[in-house]
Amino acid sequence: MLKSEEKKDIIQYVPFMSFVHPSFWHSLTEMKLNVDKLNESTKQVFGRYSYRDDTVSVFEVDGTSFNTNPEIELHYINVTGTLMNKNTIEDFKNIDKASLINSVGEIMRANIQTKSWIDNPNNLLNFFILSFADLKKFHYYYWFAFPAPSQPIVCLKEKCQNISTYFNEKQIKDISKSFQVLETTQKCFFAIIKNNDTAEVVKLSKILDKNSKELKINLTNTFFAFADHSNGPNPGWPLRIFLAALLDFCPNLSKTTIQIIGIRCSKNGSLTSSQIYNITVPEGVQTPENIGWVGWERNDRGNFGPKLANMSASMDPVKLADTSSDLNIKLMKWRLVPDLNVDVMKNTKCLLLGSGTLGCHVARDLLAWGFRHITFVDNGKVSYSNPTRQVLYTFQDCLNGGKRKAEAAADNIKLILPTVQSQGLNLHIPMPGHPIGESLKQETITNVKLLTEAIESHDVIFLLLDTREARWLPTLISAHYGKIVINAALGFDSYLVMRHGISSVPKETSMNSSYVSGDQLGCYFCNDVTAPGNSAKDRTLDQQCTVSRPGAAAVAAALAVELLVALLQHRLRVKAPALYNITDEDIDSELQGVLGPIPHSIRGFLHSYQTVLPTCTKFKQCIACSQVVINKYREEGIEFLMKVFNSGTYLEEITGLTELQLTAEMTEILTFSDEDQENTDDA
Amino acid sequence: MSSITPEEFVHTAKKFIELSDKFFDSWSFHQNDNDILKTYVKKEEFVNHRDEGEKVFLYRAEYIIFYNLSYGVPSFSFNIWNSSGTLLTLEEVRQMSLMKISKEDFYSVITQQEHPVMHRPYFIIHPCNTEKILLYFKHTTKNLIVTFLGLITPLIQLNLPLEYGL
């Protein structure tokens, strides 16, 4: 053991702190993927440190570290090292770190013993990187080592002193000049000889004779010098290996004081902040038979252990796509709509019933607005006529009978943004007045169950189906669960986009009110006095499938998504009021959201390029969302639904519509009397 | 005309590098003879940042000034990373800022985007206001890039030697 008074003086070296630039990981990744692949053999890399007095003690590696020749940078020393990149995290963890550094040390010892370092002093320094690259996550585990022998232990005779205590101004200038012209490979370790009024920098090979163990120089005016990265009172790490090499070359040095200069330069190249260390070698503390190698770097917690670089945010293309698309929404918030809630879109789950022209357009607009949960429902397959209008599909999806639409849409939207959470449900939505045969009964029950679960687990239900009656079941189930419903429907050159209210109990609205509370708004069926029957019956082929001007779907889908976003951004959400009359004039701020007032419905006509915004309240005899229908559904469940599917008139009966129609026909007859017509005109 | 041509930018950049060399600032000139729009000036430096708990962190900052074709002005971009090579987020950069600037204002000026020259994500100061301000200085300044840097300095820690003669 050391005695305590000796311990005080034992030299403390300033270790290197590894500093990895992002380009190092970029180059390593490229090399691993394109060149090395599974090859684990070590490779030569370059690192560098600066002896500037105004920088910290860092040891840097970057993209150029893999070059065949290192880049020369002013006031930097290049160091040759070794990279060992393991293929698995287990190999990285389990490799014996002590024997690894010793094996590097043995090579360095051979370099010392053959004295080849005297001609190439920079080769004395060495470093080692053990790494494992998880290229799926862009996580890089790494551990630097700067190997140096644990022996000899040396002491500082006195505190370090500034170079000016030994050299005058002129001599320091001499040193600066001759140091500047010294070859780069000699700049790490060299010697300085002080004469009466001059000083000169000499290569080690000038003063150390490889064939002799004795120094033929005057030690009183010879200083050994090294490029010192430290900027405190202790010398930098390279001195450790330098002293070991010097003492191995000439053991007699241990009997004298060794004068060392730590070269430190300022940004203009002056060496005035260089330090002088006087080194002595104490007797009795050396244990030559047990020399090991030290130099593994400590991690950020101060332990000997590896570090982790998580580069996913800047290297993982999936992350980059995700953050970049979020940025567009954030920009909107930062620049134009400061009250915009960005997270609400991220967290809202959308269910798209129908994955055709409307469904595809709606999905893309949702994506653009930052929605990240989109579920598609459809029971069709992609056909050759689809891709030109249904913007999520391609020709490939039509081949071999066509992929299932809902699944193809979910797959393809992930090609646009991989982080979107999307799935497809292939199911047929049963419809009123479309009788279910015995053979399809079980399947229908399953489909109702799947649809119910899907509606329950989403926040917003989009009705984008191609028939009127297919919208009935989801309207009812959504009303039961109180979900936000956005409905879009197309005619040939017209479209309807609307939101549904959620309350099944209609309230009397005052005739003088300028708006309808959002929950009191009518649904798609509230304004109809007939129950949905088989609307495809008695139609020609072109009427059976929706034929509409291609722009109608794009416009309607865009409006549907804008309507939803305006609603979600409103303080009252689904209860956001709908004005009877939306004008450009100032609207009470209570009645609008951060994106403006929110209409109940939008009817557009491409023929005349006009849009109207009708607002209607709930109809208490509505065949889809009235109290009586919801109650029946709650009480009887699937049995009630089956009755509806099998009968075209059952709904009209239970809601009293049959009765109403009779009354209506009577009114109609009365209205057409000449007398009434005149009265109306007068009014 | 308040904007400058790419040729003017390259000329100004060369003059700026002469100044930088003179004052031992470490800006470097990267000329691309095949594509003048890919010519830029760059500086890298270590930055010490003391957090609220007085703990000191060491970062490397890289600053790149390039020519923005759409606006016809110099554009400033940067990245800052820690010792493992991980880039700082914009929020972390904002908290390092010398000037106490509101979150909204900061975010409205600086956004992360793919760099038009480096083709990797960088923080870029939006050029929309640069044009207006530079117009004001265009005929009086000795070097437009020096003026430009002076305008940006409060946003991020950028040690601009006083010798540039601001």
Side-chain angles (χ1 to χ4, degrees):
Chain A
M1 276 309 291
L2 308 171
K3 287 176 204 152
S4 60
E5 63 266 34
E6 277 172 335
K7 214 174 179 176
K8 252 195 307 199
D9 300 322
I10 285 177
I11 205 161
Q12 299 283 320
Y13 299 99
V14 176
F16 282 118
M17 171 194 172
S18 64
F19 203 101
V20 186
H21 297 301
S23 56
F24 182 81
W25 301 127
H26 286 271
S27 296
L28 184 145
T29 307
E30 209 178 289
M31 203 95 64
K32 183 74 187 160
L33 291 176
N34 301 328
V35 184
D36 293 344
K37 293 170 185 167
L38 287 177
N39 182 356
E40 253 186 2
S41 59
T42 58
K43 58 169 43 5
Q44 175 184 283
V45 285
F46 293 105
R48 61 179 191 273
Y49 75 92
S50 171
Y51 46 93
R52 278 267 292 268
D53 58 3
D54 57 349
T55 56
V56 270
S57 303
V58 293
F59 188 91
E60 300 169 60
V61 291
D62 65 11
T64 65
S65 294
F66 295 94
N67 291 1
T68 322
N69 295 305
E71 307 244 317
I72 310 287
E73 220 180 309
L74 195 61
H75 306 148
Y76 269 91
I77 298 290
N78 282 313
V79 181
T80 311
T82 310
L83 170 73
M84 181 187 273
N85 188 39
K86 288 293 177 190
N87 278 336
T88 65
I89 186 80
E90 286 76 22
D91 286 352
F92 174 82
K93 278 184 190 157
N94 296 338
I95 191 165
D96 183 343
K97 312 297 185 297
S99 62
L100 190 60
I101 200 167
N102 280 332
S103 67
V104 180
E106 285 318 306
I107 298 166
M108 293 169 72
R109 189 192 309 283
N111 180 22
I112 291 172
Q113 283 168 351
T114 58
K115 303 181 175 59
S116 63
W117 63 277
I118 293 171
D119 291 323
N120 299 298
N122 276 21
N123 289 353
L124 261 188
L125 268 186
N126 205 322
F127 74 102
F128 193 87
I129 308 172
L130 175 68
S131 66
F132 164 67
D134 181 342
L135 297 182
K136 281 202 184 87
K137 292 187 188 147
F138 296 91
H139 286 180
Y140 300 86
Y141 299 83
Y142 66 102
W143 199 352
F144 273 74
F146 304 96
S150 57
Q151 305 274 351
I153 289 163
V154 300
C155 291
L156 268 182
K157 198 177 166 192
E158 60 212 355
K159 271 197 167 172
C160 68
Q161 286 162 297
N162 186 272
I163 190 169
S164 58
T165 50
Y166 284 76
F167 294 86
N168 65 32
E169 211 172 301
K170 185 193 167 289
Q171 287 168 324
I172 298 174
K173 277 198 177 137
D174 287 349
I175 296 170
S176 292
K177 268 188 203 153
S178 49
F179 177 64
Q180 257 174 35
V181 296
L182 193 63
E183 294 153 50
T184 42
T185 52
Q186 302 284 330
K187 274 189 167 155
C188 194
F189 303 110
F190 53 96
I192 291 169
I193 294 173
K194 183 183 167 189
N195 300 315
N196 288 337
D197 200 33
T198 58
E200 61 168 330
V201 166
V202 294
K203 289 189 210 176
L204 291 174
S205 54
K206 277 257 178 77
I207 56 164
L208 304 180
D209 180 359
K210 281 203 256 183
N211 301 317
S212 163
K213 278 231 169 247
E214 291 307 313
L215 291 170
K216 296 183 185 98
I217 45 168
N218 179 0
L219 274 177
T220 52
N221 65 2
T222 301
F223 296 77
F224 292 101
F226 75 104
D228 191 0
H229 63 81
S230 164
N231 43 28
N234 291 318
W237 190 257
L239 179 59
R240 188 167 193 163
I241 182 94
F242 191 26
L243 286 172
L246 282 172
L247 286 161
D248 181 87
F249 175 77
C250 174
N252 280 340
L253 271 176
S254 62
K255 292 175 186 138
T256 60
T257 299
I258 313 168
Q259 302 179 103
I260 302 282
I261 301 181
I263 294 289
R264 304 176 184 185
C265 91
S266 63
K267 69 176 181 182
N268 61 14
S270 131
L271 300 181
T272 47
S273 51
S274 300
Q275 298 293 318
I276 296 194
Y277 311 98
N278 284 317
I279 306 285
T280 56
V281 185
E283 282 178 58
V285 296
Q286 322 293 347
T287 48
E289 62 279 358
N290 210 357
I291 298 180
W293 290 77
V294 294
W296 285 108
E297 192 189 10
R298 288 175 193 269
N299 61 20
D300 299 334
R301 291 187 298 277
N303 305 325
F304 287 109
K307 296 185 182 183
L308 168 66
N310 180 351
M311 299 297 291
S312 63
S314 59
M315 289 178 75
D316 185 345
V318 171
K319 281 246 167 99
L320 286 174
D322 194 53
T323 46
S324 305
S325 38
D326 280 352
L327 181 71
N328 277 324
I329 320 275
K330 285 183 184 156
L331 278 179
M332 206 164 357
K333 179 183 172 69
W334 298 327
R335 300 226 168 117
L336 299 160
V337 194
D339 295 327
L340 194 76
N341 182 342
V342 178
D343 292 331
V344 74
M345 274 87 72
K346 264 196 173 160
N347 300 329
T348 301
K349 293 181 177 146
C350 298
L351 179 68
L352 274 50
L353 302 180
S355 312
T357 315
L358 279 169
C360 289
H361 277 298
V362 164
R364 295 222 51 162
D365 290 336
L366 286 174
L367 211 53
W369 254 116
F371 289 86
R372 296 295 178 259
H373 294 88
I374 300 171
T375 304
F376 295 92
V377 174
D378 207 293
N379 72 328
K381 289 185 172 173
V382 185
S383 71
Y384 289 110
S385 67
N386 294 155
T388 53
R389 283 174 177 238
Q390 308 187 2
V391 294
L392 283 176
Y393 308 120
T394 63
F395 171 72
Q396 292 297 324
D397 299 320
C398 317
L399 299 177
N400 305 316
K403 283 191 198 164
R404 287 174 168 170
K405 272 190 164 175
E407 285 154 24
D411 289 346
N412 292 353
I413 203 163
K414 284 182 218 158
L415 294 180
I416 296 164
L417 187 71
T419 46
V420 71
Q421 293 187 34
S422 184
Q423 54 163 329
L425 282 177
N426 184 64
L427 70 89
H428 172 74
I429 299 176
M431 297 176 273
H434 291 239
I436 315 283
E438 203 50 41
S439 60
L440 287 178
K441 195 174 171 192
Q442 203 46 52
E443 195 191 315
T444 303
I445 292 170
T446 311
N447 282 347
V448 170
K449 190 166 168 275
L450 282 174
L451 180 68
T452 309
E453 286 166 359
I455 290 175
E456 193 183 359
S457 62
H458 287 76
D459 306 301
V460 177
I461 318 303
F462 276 93
L463 305 186
L464 311 166
L465 301 145
D466 53 5
T467 61
R468 180 169 167 269
E469 53 268 35
R471 295 163 201 261
W472 178 82
L473 182 60
T475 299
L476 169 62
I477 301 174
S478 303
H480 164 67
Y481 285 111
K483 299 286 180 182
I484 296 173
V485 175
I486 304 289
N487 194 343
L490 302 175
F492 164 66
D493 58 1
S494 63
Y495 55 83
L496 165 70
V497 176
M498 69 183 297
R499 54 177 167 134
H500 290 184
I502 48 158
S503 169
S504 55
V505 192
K507 269 191 224 135
E508 285 302 320
T509 330
S510 154
M511 289 301 283
N512 299 326
S513 179
S514 62
Y515 66 91
V516 177
S517 163
D519 56 338
Q520 290 295 322
L521 290 168
C523 79
Y524 183 64
F525 296 96
C526 280
N527 304 326
D528 276 327
V529 284
T530 51
N534 192 340
S535 64
K537 212 164 96 183
D538 305 326
R539 278 197 184 179
T540 59
L541 183 67
D542 66 309
Q543 283 173 321
Q544 279 177 39
C545 40
T546 332
V547 180
S548 63
R549 283 174 64 170
V555 174
L559 287 172
V561 172
E562 293 299 328
L563 187 71
L564 171 67
V565 174
L567 198 65
L568 293 175
Q569 294 294 333
H570 194 285
R571 187 173 52 89
L572 297 172
R573 286 173 61 107
V574 74
K575 292 185 177 169
L579 277 76
Y580 280 116
N581 193 12
I582 295 179
T583 58
D584 290 338
E585 284 157 40
D586 280 349
I587 294 167
D588 187 352
S589 63
E590 283 294 300
L591 294 177
Q592 53 179 326
V594 293
L595 292 171
I598 308 151
H600 174 211
S601 64
I602 306 154
R603 281 179 189 272
F605 307 93
L606 286 180
H607 179 75
S608 55
Y609 296 93
Q610 285 189 337
T611 307
V612 291
L613 307 172
T615 300
C616 311
T617 53
K618 281 205 167 290
F619 176 46
K620 65 174 188 292
Q621 284 166 289
C622 173
I623 48 101
C625 73
S626 61
Q627 183 97 60
V628 56
V629 176
I630 293 179
N631 281 349
K632 276 263 183 201
Y633 167 68
R634 283 178 183 159
E635 284 157 22
E636 298 173 29
I638 189 73
E639 279 172 28
F640 163 68
L641 297 179
M642 282 299 180
K643 279 186 224 166
V644 175
F645 302 148
N646 286 324
S647 155
T649 54
Y650 181 61
L651 277 173
E652 295 181 6
E653 284 160 29
I654 60 162
T655 54
L657 271 187
T658 321
E659 205 180 316
L660 186 75
Q661 275 162 352
L662 286 172
T663 334
E665 274 160 31
M666 289 298 288
T667 328
E668 232 167 75
I669 296 160
L670 290 172
T671 346
F672 281 115
S673 76
D674 289 343
E675 206 180 344
D676 276 349
Q677 192 70 44
E678 276 169 29
N679 285 346
T680 319
D681 285 348
D682 290 342
Chain B
M1 273 297 286
S2 52
S3 57
I4 59 170
T5 63
E7 289 77 11
E8 281 178 289
F9 172 75
V10 171
H11 177 76
T12 309
K14 276 184 188 160
K15 292 280 175 208
F16 172 70
I17 293 302
E18 285 172 17
L19 287 173
S20 167
D21 289 348
K22 196 170 142 195
F23 306 132
F24 303 107
D25 203 357
S26 50
W27 287 93
S28 54
F29 186 61
H30 301 258
Q31 185 152 21
N32 188 320
D33 293 326
N34 299 320
D35 186 352
I36 192 168
L37 297 175
K38 293 211 174 343
T39 296
Y40 61 93
V41 293
K42 180 173 106 164
K43 175 181 173 168
E44 280 191 45
E45 66 176 2
F46 284 102
V47 180
N48 274 310
H49 176 64
R50 202 178 286 273
D51 72 355
E52 279 152 11
E54 293 294 290
K55 204 175 163 202
V56 176
F57 293 90
L58 181 70
Y59 298 110
R60 181 76 164 180
E62 179 188 37
Y63 315 110
I64 290 176
I65 301 173
F66 62 100
Y67 180 73
N68 184 306
L69 182 63
S70 323
Y71 287 84
V73 291
S75 259
F76 187 85
S77 56
F78 63 94
N79 260 334
I80 301 178
W81 58 86
N82 65 17
S83 68
S84 74
T86 310
L87 301 185
L88 296 196
T89 64
L90 193 49
E91 185 55 22
E92 287 165 328
V93 174
R94 190 180 70 82
Q95 284 170 6
M96 285 173 68
S97 169
L98 284 176
M99 198 162 89
K100 290 294 168 207
I101 174 171
S102 81
K103 212 172 173 173
E104 288 72 20
D105 287 349
F106 186 81
Y107 280 117
S108 71
V109 182
I110 302 176
T111 50
Q112 189 176 36
Q113 40 192 281
E114 176 155 318
H115 198 285
V117 181
M118 312 308 285
H119 302 295
R120 274 185 284 125
Y122 273 77
F123 296 117
I124 300 185
I125 295 191
H126 200 271
C128 62
N129 294 318
T130 312
E131 194 182 346
K132 274 182 262 166
I133 301 167
L134 283 188
L135 165 70
Y136 189 72
F137 289 102
K138 196 183 173 188
H139 300 289
T140 52
T141 179
K142 281 184 222 150
N143 187 293
L144 206 63
I145 291 180
V146 174
T147 307
F148 175 64
L149 277 179
L151 296 172
I152 283 159
T153 309
L155 283 176
I156 41 169
Q157 287 192 5
L158 186 65
N159 303 317
L160 199 62
L162 291 171
E163 294 93 327
Y164 280 110
L166 283 166

